[in-house]
C-alpha cells in the first residue's frame, strides 16, 4: 500500500508513474516541522535497520551517518563523502516499525540517519514543496515491490551487455581497440564489448569522430562485431562552443541550451573546454539531442554511456572571471599560511560550485526554473531523452544505455555505473553494499568500475573484484588516464582471469533469467540477508554477503592477502567452488559460521537449500554461446524456472518461461 502526502507545490519529477491521490491525514511515522523548509523526524528503536538511499556511501544499514541527496561528481569519494553521483531518496525502516518512504524532491535533501542523535532519523530540505510516499507492507521485500510498482518497470539491457566488457580512458586509436580485442581473443578470455572514452571524438565534441584516430570507425565496428565484440561510445552532457560545429550552432539557434539569468546560454568548462549544457528539462530540446545519437547508431553502434551529467562543471566562464577578481585581492608576495589557504580556496572553489549551479536556468513548460532547484533531474532527464530517442532510432532492439548521474525514475530508461571509484579494497565492499540499495530504487542494471577507476590496480585486487563483478549485471573493467593498464591480459597468468570470467558466462543463463524475472516482477536481483531472514540477528547485521537472485548467495573476498573469509550461512547451503582450470567442486555446508578458504584464483558461491541453477558452456562472447544446452547444478529434486528470450528484442512479451528439474 502506497500513500502520498503533498506539501506545497512540488515539482513533477516523473519518478512515480501511478496516479496516486494525495491523503489529507498526517504522514504516519514522522513528525513534521515547517519552521525552516520542511523536516520529517522519526524515532528509531535500537535494533531498527534503515535500508536504502541507492548509490550512497557507508553500510547496507545506513544508520549512523548523514547523507545529502545531491548528484555530485566526486572523483575521490571516501567513507565520509555525503553525496555521490545519483540521488535515490528511498528508505526502508525494518524493525519495531517496518515501512518504506520515498521523498520525491528534485534537489538537495538531507538524510540524517541517527548521526546527530542516535535514536532519531531526520530528513529535511530547504523548501516545503515535496511529495512524500509512505509504503506499507509486512516485510521489506513486499515494501520494495509496492514501491517499485508505482515507479514503473526497470530497464532491461540486451543480453550481450551482461557479458564481460573492457574499458579504459582511453583507447586512443582504432588500432588500440583492435589490440585490446586481439589480446583478449589470444588469451581466449570472453569479451562482449569495448568502450570508447572521450578520445574517439574530435576535440571531445559529442557526435563527432576523430578523423585522425578513428577515421575507419565504421569498418572497426564491423570487424569487432564479427568477433562478437560491440563498441560502446561515451556521450558527455556539455556541447563544445565552437563556430561551425553543427550541434552547437543548431542548439544555439533553437534556444535549446540552459541559460543564465539574463537569458544567455550558460558556459561551463568541461573536457572540450567551454561548453553549453542542453536543457534536458525542456522535452523538445532533450529529444533533439537524443536524436543526434543517430550519427552513431547509423554506423551500427548498439550501446552508449552518458557521462558528466550531474552536470559536472570544472569551471564556468563567470567563475573564471570571479577567480581572477579574487586572485587580484590576494596580497602579492604574502607568504603567510592565511594567504596560502585563501589561494587554495579560490582554486578549489571553481569546480562544481554552488554559485554556478545557482546561476543556471532551465525552461520548463515555458517557465524559467533555477537549476539548483531541480539539480537532481539533469542526468535523469538527459538519459530519459536518450532512451526515448533510441526507441525511435532502434525500435526493434534494446540498446545498452547507462548513465553516471541519476534519480529514481531513470531506472525505467537505463542502468547506472557507480562513477569514479578507486583501485581500493574498500571500494569492492562499497560496491557490494550499494547493489541492493540500488535495486530497491529500481536500478537493476548496475555495476562499478571493476578493478577500480583511479590509481594503480594490483593483480590480486582485480582478481578479487572480478569475484564480485561476475555477479553484477553490468560487468565492466574501466580505468582512468595515467593509471596502470588493467586489462586482464596485462597481468601474469591471464588464464586465472579467463577462468573467473568464464564462470560468469557459464552462469549467464541464470543471471539473465533472474534479471528478467526481477524486471518483470519488481524484485531485487541483490538482496541483503536480512530481507529473507529478518528474525536472524546475524543475517540482519550482515554487511558483506548478498543473495543473488533467488537461488544463490555470495560472500566475496574484499581484503588483500586473505586466505579466505568468514561466511555466515543463514540456512544449509551447497558451496560451489571454482577451481583453477575451471572444475567445479561442491560441498554441503550446514547453517552457521564457517571459515571458507578461498585462494586468489578460486571463487566460491553458495546454492541455497533445495534450489538449483542452470549452467551453460562458456564461449568467447554471448553471441557464440549456446543458451539451449544447459545443465543444472544444486540440490537433487529442485526445480528452476528459466526465463529466456532472443536477448535483443525490445518486445519483452517474447520471454519464454520453462521449468527445469534437477
Ligand atoms: C569521467 C567518467 C569516467 C571517464 C572520464 C573521461 O571521470 O566518470 O568514467 O573515463 O570522465 O571521460
Amino acid at each position: 500500500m502506497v500513500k502520498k502526502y503533498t506539501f506545497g507545490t512540488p515539482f513533477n519529477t516523473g519518478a512515480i508513474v501511478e496516479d496516486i491521490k494525495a491523503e489529507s491525514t498526517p504522514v504516519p511515522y514522522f513528525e513534521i516541522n515547517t519552521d525552516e523548509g520542511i523536516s520529517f523526524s522519526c524515532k528509531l528503536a535500537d535494533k531498527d535497520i534503515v535500508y536504502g538511499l541507492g548509490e550512497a556511501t557507508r553500510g547496507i544499514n545506513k544508520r549512523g551517518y548523514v547523507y545529502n541527496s545531491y548528484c555530485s561528481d566526486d572523483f575521490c569519494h571516501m567513507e565520509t563523502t555525503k553525496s555521490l553521483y545519483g540521488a535515490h531518496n528511498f528508505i526502508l525502516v525494518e524493525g519495531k516499525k517496518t515501512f518504506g518512504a520515498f521523498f520525491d524532491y528534485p534537489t538537495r535533501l538531507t538524510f540524517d540517519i541517527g548521526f546527530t542523535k542516535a535514536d532519531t532519523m531526520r530528513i529535511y530540505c530547504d523548501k516545503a514543496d515535496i511529495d512524500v510516499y509512505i509504503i506499507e507492507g509486512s516485510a521489506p521485500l513486499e515494501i520494495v515491490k509496492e514501491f517499485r510498482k508505482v515507479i514503473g518497470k526497470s530497464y532491461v539491457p540486451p543480453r550481450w551487455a551482461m557479458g564481460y566488457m573492457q574499458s579504459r580512458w582511453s583507447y586512443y586509436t582504432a588500432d588500440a581497440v583492435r589490440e585490446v580485442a586481439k589480446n583478449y581473443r589470444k588469451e581466449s578470455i570472453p569479451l562482449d564489448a569495448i568502450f570508447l572514452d572521450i578520445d574517439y571524438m574530435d576535440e571531445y565534441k559529442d557526435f563527432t569522430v576523430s578523423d585522425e584516430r578513428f577515421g575507419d570507425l565504421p569498418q572497426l565496428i564491423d570487424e569487432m562485431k564479427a568477433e562478437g565484440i560491440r563498441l560502446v561510445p561515451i556521450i558527455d552532457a556539455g556541447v563544445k562552443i565552437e563556430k561551425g560545429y553543427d550541434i552547437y550552432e543548431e542548439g544555439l539557434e533553437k534556444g535549446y541550451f540552459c541559460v543564465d539569468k539574463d537569458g544567455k546560454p550558460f558556459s561551463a568548462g568541461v573536457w572540450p573546454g567551454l561548453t553549453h549544457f542542453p536543457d534536458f528539462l525542456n522535452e523538445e530540446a532533450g529529444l533533439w539531442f537524443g536524436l543526434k545519437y543517430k550519427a552513431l547508431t547509423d554506423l551500427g553502434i548498439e550501446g552508449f554511456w552518458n557521462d558528466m551529467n550531474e552536470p559536472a562543471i570544472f569551471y564556468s566562464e563567470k567563475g573564471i572571471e570571479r577567480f581572477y577578481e579574487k586572485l587580484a585581492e590576494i596580497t602579492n608576495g604574502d607568504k603567510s599560511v592565511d594567504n596560502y589557504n585563501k589561494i587554495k580556496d579560490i582554486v578549489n572553489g571553481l569546480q562544481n560550485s554552488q554559485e554556478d549551479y545557482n546561476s543556471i536556468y532551465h525552461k520548463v513548460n515555458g517557465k524559467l526554473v533555477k537549476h539548483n532547484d531541480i539539480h537532481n533531474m539533469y542526468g535523469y532527464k538527459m538519459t530519459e531523452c536518450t532512451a526515448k530517442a533510441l526507441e525511435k532510432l532502434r525500435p526493434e532492439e534494446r540498446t545498452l544505455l547507462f548513465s553516471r548521474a541519476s534519480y529514481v525514475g531513470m531506472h525505467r530508461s537505463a542502468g547506472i555505473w557507480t562513477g569514479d571509484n578507486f583501485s581500493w579494497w574498500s571500494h569492492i565492499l562499497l560496491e557490494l553494499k550499494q547493489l541492493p540499495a540500488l535495486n530497491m530504487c529500481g536500478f537493476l542494471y548496475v555495476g562499478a568500475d571493476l578493478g577500480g577507476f583511479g590509481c594503480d590496480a594490483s593483480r590480486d585486487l582485480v582478481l578479487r573484484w572480478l569475484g564480485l563483478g561476475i555477479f553484477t549485471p553490468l560487468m565492466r573493467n574501466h580505468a582512468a588516464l595515467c593509471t596502470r593498464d588493467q586489462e586482464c591480459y596485462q597481468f601474469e597468468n591471464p588464464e586465472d582471469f579467463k577462468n573467473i570470467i568464464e564462470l560468469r558466462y557459464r552462469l549467464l543463463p541464470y543471471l539473465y533469467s533472474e534479471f528478467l524475472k526481477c524486471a518483470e516482477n519488481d524484485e531485487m536481483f541483490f538482496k541483503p540477508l536480512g530481507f529473507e531472514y529478518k528474525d536472524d540477528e546475524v543475517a540482519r547485521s550482515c554487511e558483506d554477503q548478498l543473495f543473488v537472485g533467488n537461488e544463490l548467495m555470495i560472500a566475496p573476498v574484499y581484503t588483500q592477502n586473505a586466505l579466505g573469509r568468514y561466511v555466515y550461512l543463514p540456512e544449509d547451503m551447497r558451496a560451489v567452488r571454482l577451481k583453477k582450470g575451471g572444475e567445479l567442486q561442491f560441498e554441503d555446508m550446514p547453517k552457521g559460521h564457517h571459515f571458507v578458504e578461498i585462494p586468489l584464483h578460486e571463487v566460491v558461491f553458495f546454492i541455497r537449500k533445495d534450489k538449483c541453477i542452470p549452467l551453460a558452456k562458456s564461449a568467447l562472447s554471448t553471441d557464440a554461446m549456446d543458451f539451449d544446452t544447459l545443465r543444472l547444478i544444486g540440490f537433487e529434486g529442485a526445480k528452476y524456472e528459466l526465463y529466456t528470450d532472443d536477448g535483443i528484442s525490445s518486445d519483452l512479451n517474447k520471454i519464454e518461461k520453462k521449468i527445469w528439474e534437477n
Side-chain angles (χ1 to χ4, degrees):
M1 165 81 85
V2 180
K3 285 194 173 157
K4 174 180 175 178
Y5 303 87
T6 297
F7 298 85
T9 5
F11 181 86
N12 180 8
T13 66
I16 303 285
V17 290
E18 271 201 17
D19 198 14
I20 305 172
K21 240 184 83 218
E23 304 281 327
S24 52
T25 48
V27 183
Y29 308 108
F30 289 102
E31 250 175 52
I32 293 157
N33 186 311
T34 50
D35 290 348
E36 235 180 275
I38 191 162
S39 78
F40 303 84
S41 304
C42 154
K43 284 271 179 238
L44 296 171
D46 274 0
K47 288 190 173 169
D48 284 354
I49 292 180
V50 182
Y51 293 105
L53 296 188
E55 190 185 37
T57 54
R58 303 252 168 166
I60 290 179
N61 184 351
K62 306 309 282 185
R63 278 187 83 157
Y65 203 53
V66 60
Y67 311 85
N68 285 324
S69 182
Y70 194 79
C71 296
S72 302
D73 168 24
D74 192 336
F75 169 65
C76 188
H77 51 267
M78 295 177 266
E79 202 174 299
T80 43
T81 299
K82 292 179 177 155
S83 311
L84 286 173
Y85 303 87
H88 307 134
N89 305 340
F90 173 75
I91 50 160
L92 197 164
V93 179
E94 190 270 320
K96 229 174 177 163
K97 294 169 275 194
T98 298
F99 66 94
F102 175 56
F103 297 83
D104 196 7
Y105 187 71
T107 189
R108 187 184 303 273
L109 179 72
T110 302
F111 290 83
D112 180 338
I113 308 188
F115 178 70
T116 305
K117 272 188 90 199
D119 68 348
T120 308
M121 169 166 72
R122 200 172 148 254
I123 296 131
Y124 56 94
C125 54
D126 281 349
K127 290 195 178 157
D129 295 312
I130 186 169
D131 279 320
V132 179
Y133 295 84
I134 299 294
I135 305 111
E136 288 183 301
S138 59
L141 189 59
E142 191 186 316
I143 291 170
V144 168
K145 286 175 77 163
E146 287 287 306
F147 175 55
R148 295 265 301 279
K149 218 190 282 165
V150 300
I151 59 173
K153 294 285 176 223
S154 300
Y155 163 77
V156 178
R159 186 174 54 202
W160 63 263
M162 285 180 73
Y164 175 65
M165 311 195 283
Q166 182 64 56
S167 184
R168 178 164 186 92
W169 176 22
S170 270
Y171 298 124
Y172 283 102
T173 60
D175 282 344
V177 172
R178 290 188 175 95
E179 196 59 25
V180 175
K182 196 182 88 196
N183 282 313
Y184 268 98
R185 291 297 178 247
K186 190 169 128 234
E187 299 297 341
S188 302
I189 304 174
L191 181 72
D192 258 272
I194 299 178
F195 280 65
L196 302 180
D197 208 320
I198 47 176
D199 296 282
Y200 79 89
M201 295 183 238
D202 174 29
E203 295 182 1
Y204 309 138
K205 284 182 290 204
D206 282 336
F207 315 114
T208 68
V209 175
S210 158
D211 214 22
E212 192 191 326
R213 284 171 288 112
F214 282 87
D216 61 348
L217 184 63
Q219 191 191 325
L220 180 71
I221 293 169
D222 292 347
E223 263 173 58
M224 291 296 119
K225 185 87 190 277
E227 287 281 337
I229 297 170
R230 265 87 169 177
L231 297 185
V232 184
I234 193 168
I235 301 291
D236 279 355
V239 170
K240 186 174 171 68
I241 300 178
E242 187 183 278
K243 268 210 148 351
Y245 168 38
D246 54 348
I247 313 283
Y248 162 73
E249 298 279 4
E250 253 181 73
L252 206 59
E253 190 203 312
K254 298 197 161 125
Y256 285 161
F257 295 127
C258 297
V259 292
D260 63 17
K261 67 173 183 345
D262 305 318
K264 289 213 232 55
F266 179 86
S267 306
V270 208
W271 302 124
L274 282 178
T275 63
H276 291 326
F277 292 132
D279 187 355
F280 296 113
L281 277 288
N282 166 352
E283 252 186 68
E284 191 183 306
L287 193 61
W288 161 77
F289 188 85
L291 289 172
K292 297 293 175 197
Y293 286 66
K294 184 170 189 299
L296 293 155
T297 54
D298 277 355
L299 302 180
I301 292 291
E302 297 169 52
F304 297 93
W305 49 314
N306 283 349
D307 191 21
M308 306 301 276
N309 51 3
E310 293 71 29
I313 299 179
F314 296 160
Y315 58 89
S316 69
E317 201 171 26
K318 290 267 160 53
I320 286 282
E321 284 165 20
R322 287 195 299 268
F323 171 84
Y324 284 113
E325 277 162 24
K326 282 186 195 154
L327 215 56
E329 287 163 18
I330 301 268
T331 323
N332 204 353
D334 180 349
K335 298 191 179 71
S336 68
V337 172
D338 253 12
N339 220 35
Y340 158 76
N341 281 334
K342 271 191 213 153
I343 298 172
K344 221 170 55 173
D345 288 350
I346 297 174
V347 176
N348 290 343
L350 274 174
Q351 196 163 353
N352 300 326
S353 95
Q354 204 53 61
E355 233 168 320
D356 284 336
Y357 289 135
N358 275 327
S359 49
I360 306 175
Y361 290 81
H362 300 268
K363 264 181 236 130
V364 184
N365 302 328
K367 277 215 314 240
L368 276 192
V369 173
K370 199 186 235 185
H371 173 79
N372 199 47
D373 291 343
I374 52 90
H375 175 75
N376 292 340
M377 298 289 97
Y378 192 73
Y380 159 25
K381 291 295 164 185
M382 172 187 186
T383 304
E384 191 177 69
C385 293
T386 310
K388 280 187 185 156
L390 288 169
E391 270 169 37
K392 291 187 196 302
L393 297 172
R394 310 185 69 250
E396 303 298 325
E397 294 191 350
R398 284 175 256 156
T399 306
L400 165 62
L401 181 62
F402 61 91
S403 164
R404 196 170 71 174
S406 61
Y407 183 82
V408 175
M410 204 199 83
H411 69 285
R412 300 186 296 263
S413 308
I416 54 172
W417 96 102
T418 50
D420 297 343
N421 56 10
F422 267 71
S423 299
W424 292 340
W425 292 88
S426 60
H427 276 183
I428 302 181
L429 187 56
L430 175 63
E431 176 181 15
L432 182 141
K433 293 176 182 193
Q434 289 173 335
L435 292 167
L438 286 167
N439 283 183
M440 289 175 205
C441 296
F443 291 97
L444 294 180
Y445 187 68
V446 289
D449 286 349
L450 299 177
F453 177 71
C455 69
D456 295 335
S458 59
R459 177 180 188 272
D460 56 350
L461 176 123
V462 180
L463 276 170
R464 290 299 198 192
W465 211 325
L466 285 174
L468 167 62
I470 56 169
F471 296 99
T472 59
L474 194 177
M475 185 193 182
R476 180 182 76 148
N477 175 334
H478 182 47
L481 203 66
C482 301
T483 59
R484 180 185 187 185
D485 291 334
Q486 120 190 349
E487 296 81 13
C488 297
Y489 55 81
Q490 306 281 4
F491 299 102
E492 60 199 275
N493 300 337
E495 64 275 14
D496 293 332
F497 293 81
K498 167 177 180 290
N499 210 17
I500 294 178
I501 294 173
E502 279 183 351
L503 177 60
R504 158 61 162 231
Y505 282 71
R506 295 161 82 180
L507 287 167
L508 259 179
Y510 173 70
L511 298 173
Y512 184 64
S513 166
E514 289 302 291
F515 190 102
L516 293 178
K517 281 183 199 171
C518 292
E520 183 182 280
N521 305 318
D522 302 321
E523 299 256 6
M524 288 164 70
F525 189 83
F526 295 105
K527 277 179 294 232
L529 269 47
F531 266 51
E532 302 262 337
Y533 287 91
K534 65 187 180 59
D535 299 320
D536 176 338
E537 288 304 329
V538 182
R540 282 180 88 235
S541 63
C542 180
E543 288 272 342
D544 61 358
Q545 300 176 200
L546 295 173
F547 290 121
V548 177
N550 276 322
E551 279 70 15
L552 298 188
M553 187 189 78
I554 57 167
V557 176
Y558 53 86
T559 49
Q560 194 159 25
N561 301 317
L563 301 175
R565 55 162 289 175
Y566 284 94
V567 178
Y568 177 66
L569 304 189
E571 61 191 30
D572 298 349
M573 290 189 186
R574 182 166 296 177
V576 184
R577 177 180 297 274
L578 171 77
K579 300 288 290 177
K580 239 176 179 307
E583 185 205 341
L584 295 181
Q585 282 181 358
F586 304 93
E587 183 190 349
D588 284 348
M589 295 175 104
K591 170 179 161 42
H593 295 274
H594 301 266
F595 183 82
V596 181
E597 278 182 29
I598 313 173
L600 186 57
H601 312 111
E602 297 188 1
V603 172
V604 175
F605 61 91
F606 304 85
I607 300 183
R608 299 184 59 187
K609 192 172 165 54
D610 296 331
K611 310 257 186 206
C612 65
I613 62 162
L615 277 190
K617 259 184 86 173
S618 177
L620 288 180
S621 69
T622 50
D623 280 355
M625 273 180 73
D626 174 0
F627 283 95
D628 295 322
T629 313
L630 307 176
R631 78 173 163 120
L632 293 178
I633 58 167
F635 288 85
E636 295 67 33
K639 289 187 185 145
Y640 180 72
E641 185 177 24
L642 183 76
Y643 276 39
T644 47
D645 71 347
D646 63 1
I648 195 89
S649 294
S650 308
D651 184 359
L652 293 175
N653 294 318
K654 289 189 187 156
I655 293 173
E656 283 172 31
K657 301 166 190 177
K658 198 175 135 198
I659 308 275
W660 289 62
E661 204 168 331
N662 198 16

